[in-house]
Amino acid sequence: MGTRYLLALFLILLILGFEVQGTPVPQQDEATSFTLLSQMQESLFGYWDTARTAAQNLYQKTYLPSVDEKIRDMYNKSTAAVTTYAGIFTDQVLSLLNGDE
């Protein structure tokens, strides 16, 4: 049962990762030399693309409507919990800033 939740969490993070994509890095000419930073960045993007493709293939092979429904339910419950605790935290901060009046 624990691996199902781990898979669901991984898939949620993967979906959020698709939503938060930056602008693609423009390709440089072959004549210009790559700096170490750009080489590392290109390598990391390559690893990310490979991991993303593997996760997509795994998700497509193991797609179950009941798991999809559980992920949505988990997302709704966690969003409600975060909203509640964020409201409590905001009230506490405001009461500390206002002080005893």
Side-chain angles (χ1 to χ4, degrees):
M1 175 97 24
T3 56
R4 287 183 183 177
Y5 289 117
L6 182 61
L7 179 62
L9 178 65
F10 177 75
L11 292 175
I12 289 171
L13 291 175
L14 184 67
I15 290 169
L16 290 175
F18 286 136
E19 295 296 320
V20 185
Q21 291 181 352
T23 58
V25 177
Q27 296 293 330
Q28 297 179 355
D29 295 336
E30 292 181 8
T32 60
S33 65
F34 289 108
T35 63
L36 179 61
L37 179 62
S38 64
Q39 289 176 352
M40 288 179 60
Q41 187 177 20
E42 183 177 325
S43 175
L44 288 174
F45 281 144
Y47 288 136
W48 173 253
D49 288 337
T50 303
R52 184 176 60 185
T53 304
Q56 281 177 337
N57 292 337
L58 178 65
Y59 179 73
Q60 289 174 354
K61 288 179 184 177
T62 61
Y63 177 75
L64 297 171
S66 61
V67 173
D68 198 32
E69 184 178 323
K70 288 180 183 179
I71 291 172
R72 285 190 194 120
D73 185 49
M74 219 168 45
Y75 175 77
N76 289 335
K77 287 181 181 179
S78 63
T79 303
V82 167
T83 302
T84 301
Y85 287 117
I88 292 170
F89 180 74
T90 303
D91 289 342
Q92 292 295 320
V93 169
L94 289 176
S95 67
L96 284 173
L97 292 176
N98 287 336
D100 295 330
E101 290 183 11

